[in-house]
């Protein structure tokens, strides 16, 4: 019997691979894929190489050509017909800022008023004339000067007595007023009972137009109420930290209400 010996097979000798070889291969693959994507989207791709990598017979600022032989016919057509865009070296950007007009915010509205406590029921022995007679005895503040435009208005003359009284949240006496507490107290001196809250006082009389308003009319906006004092002024109890005062009308399109 003849013995058969198989010859051992050896892998062909080759240069050993290093991590740098793997990096170079991956870089080449990414470059080919980038060229195909750029060509198919109509973009011209160029790569800037350092001066040491440029051919010796090329100008220093020339860019090497991209090998497009691996591209499809459609991609090469798109690459050939893609528009070339160039920007002058001295190009400058210009931005014109629009004109902005700044308007001051109006005076903020005061805080909502608390729900008033129910007033004690009057007895038959109590009359409006008695209340009116007793009221002046509690009026300690000296009356302020009434604006010339409101001279002759009984409502404004009474309201002027309380100029300087501090704003008190929920207040309805000369010790301190909130906005509707002030108006209801002033009108009570004339025998006119107003609802306690500004929301209810909105419907306590007849609405009049701005050109028909008169000193003593109520001036109302949502959340606040005062008394019109003629011209462009009003008297009211503004907000915490303020006092009853004559001041200019700051509200936009207020509603004027005639009571009585």
């Amino acid at each position: 019997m003849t013995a058969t010996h198989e010859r051992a097979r050896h892998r062909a000798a080759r240069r050993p691979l290093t991590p740098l070889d793997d990096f170079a291969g991956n870089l080449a693959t990414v470059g080919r894929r980038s060229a195909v994507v750029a060509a198919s989207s109509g973009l011209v791709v160029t790569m800037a190489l350092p001066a040491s990598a440029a051919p010796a017979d090329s100008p220093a600022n020339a860019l090497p050509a991209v090998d497009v032989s691996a591209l499809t016919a459609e991609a090469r057509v798109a690459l050939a017909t893609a528009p070339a865009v160039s920007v002058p070296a001295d190009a400058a950007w210009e931005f014109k800022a629009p004109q902005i007009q700044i308007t001051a915010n109006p005076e903020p509205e005061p805080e909502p008023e608390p729900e008033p406590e129910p007033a004690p029921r009057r007895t038959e022995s109590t009359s409006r004339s008695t209340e009116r007679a007793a009221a002046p005895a509690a009026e300690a503040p000296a009356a302020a000067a009434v604006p010339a435009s409101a001279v002759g208005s009984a409502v404004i003359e009474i309201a002027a007595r309380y100029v300087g009284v501090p704003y008190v949240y929920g207040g309805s006496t000369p010790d301190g007023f909130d906005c509707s507490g002030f108006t209801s107290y002033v009108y009570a001196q004339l025998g006119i009972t107003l609802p306690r809250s500004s929301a209810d006082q909105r419907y306590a009389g007849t609405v009049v137009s701005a050109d028909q308003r008169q000193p003593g009319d109520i001036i109302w906006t949502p959340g606040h109420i005062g008394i019109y004092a003629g011209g462009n002024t009003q008297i009211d109890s503004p907000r915490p930290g303020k006092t009853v005062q004559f001041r200019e009308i700051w509200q936009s399109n207020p509603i004027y209400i005639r009571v009585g």
Side-chain angles (χ1 to χ4, degrees):
M1 180 181 295
T2 304
T4 303
H5 297 280
E6 293 184 0
R7 298 179 60 184
R9 295 180 181 178
H10 299 279
R11 187 176 298 174
R14 60 178 179 178
R15 184 174 61 85
L17 297 178
T18 66
L20 291 178
D21 295 315
D22 293 337
F23 176 75
N26 293 335
L27 183 61
T29 301
V30 173
R32 288 196 297 272
R33 291 178 180 173
S34 300
V36 173
V37 172
S40 61
S41 61
L43 300 175
V44 177
V45 178
T46 59
M47 299 180 64
L49 299 178
S52 60
D57 56 350
S58 300
N61 58 351
L63 296 176
V66 177
D67 183 9
V68 297
S69 60
L71 302 180
T72 62
E74 182 179 356
R76 286 197 295 271
V77 172
L79 184 60
T81 58
V85 180
S86 61
V87 179
D90 58 348
W93 292 95
E94 181 180 358
F95 175 76
K96 293 183 179 180
Q99 293 183 352
I100 300 175
Q101 183 178 2
I102 300 176
T103 304
N105 289 331
E107 184 174 347
E109 295 181 358
E111 299 178 359
E113 299 176 4
E115 289 294 331
E117 297 180 359
R121 298 182 59 182
R122 299 180 180 180
T123 61
E124 295 182 359
S125 59
T126 303
S127 64
R128 289 183 177 178
S129 58
T130 303
E131 293 178 357
R132 195 180 312 172
E139 294 167 1
V146 176
S149 57
V151 171
S153 170
V155 177
I156 300 301
E157 289 178 358
I158 293 174
R161 300 172 186 172
Y162 306 103
V163 169
V165 172
Y167 181 99
V168 173
Y169 192 70
S172 58
T173 70
D175 292 332
F177 294 112
D178 61 15
C179 63
S180 60
F182 173 65
T183 53
S184 60
Y185 189 89
V186 169
Y187 274 90
Q189 311 311 305
L190 298 172
I192 299 174
T193 301
L194 294 180
R196 177 60 183 84
S197 68
S198 63
D200 292 334
Q201 290 182 19
R202 158 69 176 80
Y203 303 99
T206 303
V207 175
V208 295
S209 60
D211 58 349
Q212 297 295 321
R213 63 189 178 182
Q214 296 178 2
D217 291 341
I218 286 177
I219 175 172
W220 180 90
T221 49
H224 189 64
I225 199 164
I227 302 174
Y228 177 61
N232 192 43
T233 63
Q234 64 180 323
I235 181 172
D236 65 345
S237 184
R239 61 180 183 274
K242 298 291 185 178
T243 61
V244 173
Q245 59 185 278
F246 286 101
R247 59 174 179 158
E248 292 187 355
I249 295 173
W250 55 268
Q251 301 93 321
S252 299
N253 300 319
I255 294 176
Y256 297 91
I257 304 164
R258 186 157 300 157
V259 181

